[in-house]
Amino acid sequence: LVHSERAVDRFRTRPKAVIDHLLYRFSDCIVGNSSAVVDWFATYAKASHGHLEMIPNGLELTAFPEVTRLLGAEKKTVVMKVARLSEAKRIDVLLHAAKLLKARNLDVVVRIVGDGELRHDIENTIQHLELGNVVELMGYQSDVAACLASADILVQSSDVEGLPNAGGSMSLPAVPATYMATCQYVSS
């Protein structure tokens, strides 16, 4: 049995922590995607380093199309978040930033790629903040590389990740975008 971990998750509930400890106990190997994840789970699960392995996130360069803008007739700046819609990803931070951008009359569209348990709450927040003409919930997309190719700015708003997988993808020379870290909500 191989157990894979991709993030240091401080949002683990007590039941999930109990299940995780059982999984670690009966796993032949725990695989993390970075040394930070492996080290954290060595402490968290008290697993020996012989029981832990690291397989770094890799990027399949052939998956990324040549630079093409995937926008329709619009010529807006595309701000993008690619993430599971969960508490740890802090989509609320991005939505409040979108509200600030709208208030300044900036010509942007905020696209959120991904799905998850907070989708309904995020839809309600978009309506409450009157962002229907600024924010697009794109849901699950099978061709994330094409989505990334259409972005000008990739937003990282998670409290628990330094560089998400999508962020590493944005650093490819063929992707016309800037990676922007937004780790805390500033209410000014």
Side-chain angles (χ1 to χ4, degrees):
L1 178 64
V2 175
H3 182 82
S4 173
E5 288 290 348
R6 299 179 48 83
V8 176
D9 189 357
R10 67 184 175 119
F11 293 102
R12 288 177 195 269
T13 61
R14 177 81 175 135
K16 177 145 177 31
V18 169
I19 292 168
D20 283 347
H21 280 287
L22 287 172
L23 280 171
Y24 302 146
R25 188 171 161 207
F26 294 104
S27 294
D28 297 306
C29 183
I30 301 169
V31 177
N33 66 344
S34 70
S35 58
V37 170
V38 169
D39 292 344
W40 193 84
F41 281 97
T43 303
Y44 175 76
K46 299 188 178 17
S48 67
H49 274 282
H51 193 67
L52 296 167
E53 295 291 333
M54 181 185 67
I55 300 175
N57 285 330
L59 299 174
E60 178 58 52
L61 298 179
T62 59
F64 292 86
E66 290 186 26
V67 176
T68 55
R69 300 288 291 167
L70 300 177
L71 301 174
E74 67 190 10
K75 298 298 179 202
K76 297 180 178 186
T77 299
V78 177
V79 177
M80 186 171 291
K81 171 89 173 166
V82 178
R84 182 182 78 255
L85 304 184
S86 68
E87 183 180 348
K89 304 300 183 173
R90 297 299 310 268
I91 307 296
D92 60 312
V93 172
L94 174 58
L95 295 178
H96 283 91
K99 179 82 171 170
L100 293 173
L101 295 173
K102 180 181 178 181
R104 293 183 181 165
N105 293 317
L106 296 174
D107 201 17
V108 301
V109 60
V110 176
R111 292 187 173 142
I112 302 172
V113 176
D115 218 334
E117 63 268 17
L118 293 184
R119 183 179 181 94
H120 182 70
D121 293 342
I122 292 167
E123 289 171 338
N124 287 340
T125 302
I126 291 168
Q127 183 177 1
H128 175 74
L129 295 175
E130 299 176 351
L131 294 172
N133 61 337
V134 176
V135 177
E136 298 174 5
L137 281 179
M138 297 179 67
Y140 169 81
Q141 299 291 313
S142 61
D143 191 355
V144 175
C147 292
L148 291 172
S150 74
D152 295 301
I153 300 169
L154 179 69
V155 174
Q156 192 326 42
S157 55
S158 170
D159 284 338
V160 297
E161 298 173 307
L163 179 66
N165 295 333
S169 302
M170 294 300 287
S171 67
L172 294 173
V175 179
T178 301
Y179 173 76
M180 180 180 79
T182 311
C183 294
Q184 292 184 350
Y185 172 62
V186 179
S187 61
S188 60

